[in-house]
Amino acid sequence: MNPRLRLRPTMLSDLDFVISVELDSHNLPFITPWERTQHEGAVRFPDFRHFIVEGGDEDARIGFVILQGCRNPHGSVELKRLVLQTKGQGLGRACVRLLKRMAFRDLKAHRFWLDVKLLNTRALALYASEGFVEEGRLRESVRVSIDGADGYDSLVVMSMLDREYRARVALEQEGDDLAATDGDRQ
C-alpha cells in the first residue's frame, strides 16, 4: 500500500511541533537542530519552502521539510531538512519523490541536492535508491554527540539533475502520484 502524504506550508503555530520533531531522540543524531528564529526565518523568507508533512486518513502531522534556494538563479535547490516521526513505512521515500517532483516541476530546478551525515546509513541508502548521485564528502565536518560520546561525522553531498529526473520519469521509476501539496488539491 502506498502512503498518502500532503505538504502544507508551515505556520508559526507549527514551530513547537517542528522543534519537538527535531529534538526527538530518534532524529537528533542525524540532524543539526535549528533555533526557533531560524525556522521563523525559513517560514518567512521567499528563498525557502518550509512545509509540514501530513499523512494518513486524518492528515496528522508526521514531520516537516525545508527546501532552500527556491529562487536560486542557477536553478540549484537544496533539500535542507527532511525529518519524519514515523520510520519504516515508506513515508520517507514517498516524501522524497514528492519533493523531487516539486523541485523539478514546480521550482524548475536544474539541480536538486542535499547533504546527509555519513552515519545516517538509512537515509544514504534511500537517496541512492531514488537516483541521487554522490558528489563528494565533507570529511569530519560536523560535531556529533551520541550516547555521551563526542566526535565528528562527515557529510555526504548528493544531487540529481533535471535530465536524470526526466529519465527516471520516462522509465516510470518515480512511482505513482503518492502525494499532494496544497496547490495540487482542488
Side-chain angles (χ1 to χ4, degrees), residues 140-157:
E140 296 187 12
S141 57
V142 290
R143 188 162 195 155
V144 294
S145 178
I146 300 174
D147 297 327
D150 287 326
Y152 291 90
D153 194 18
S154 299
L155 290 175
V156 179
V157 178

Side-chain angles (χ1 to χ4, degrees), residues 8 13-15 17-18 52-55 59-63 85:
R8 68 162 172 83
S13 59
D14 291 313
L15 292 185
F17 167 77
V18 167
I52 295 295
V53 181
E54 297 176 330
D59 283 334
R61 295 183 300 189
I62 59 172
Q85 287 181 310

Side-chain angles (χ1 to χ4, degrees), residues 116-177:
V116 59
K117 289 182 179 178
L118 186 59
L119 66 85
N120 195 348
T121 55
R122 185 180 210 151
L124 284 166
L126 170 64
Y127 295 132
S129 72
E130 283 296 315
F132 285 85
V133 175
E134 181 175 331
E135 294 183 341
R137 296 179 184 210
L138 305 174
R139 297 181 317 139
E140 296 187 12
S141 57
V142 290
R143 188 162 195 155
V144 294
S145 178
I146 300 174
D147 297 327
D150 287 326
Y152 291 90
D153 194 18
S154 299
L155 290 175
V156 179
V157 178
M158 304 179 85
S159 73
M160 178 179 286
L161 302 177
D162 52 357
R163 64 181 170 270
E164 295 164 340
Y165 177 73
R166 287 192 307 272
R168 287 179 58 86
V169 169
L171 294 170
E172 299 181 357
Q173 294 175 322
E174 287 302 310
D176 297 327
D177 200 3

Side-chain angles (χ1 to χ4, degrees), residues 71-102:
R71 292 188 170 184
N72 182 298
H74 306 288
S76 187
V77 176
E78 178 185 4
L79 173 50
K80 185 71 176 171
R81 179 105 7 119
L82 166 55
V83 186
L84 300 175
Q85 287 181 310
T86 307
K87 316 283 189 233
Q89 297 181 10
L91 299 172
R93 182 172 308 280
C95 197
V96 167
R97 287 183 178 177
L98 174 61
L99 293 168
K100 287 189 291 184
R101 186 180 76 187
M102 179 183 292

Side-chain angles (χ1 to χ4, degrees), residues 22-41:
E22 275 190 331
L23 297 178
D24 181 280
S25 63
H26 296 100
N27 296 324
L28 197 53
F30 305 115
I31 62 170
T32 303
W34 278 6
E35 298 290 328
R36 183 182 192 91
T37 55
Q38 290 174 286
H39 284 288
E40 289 173 358

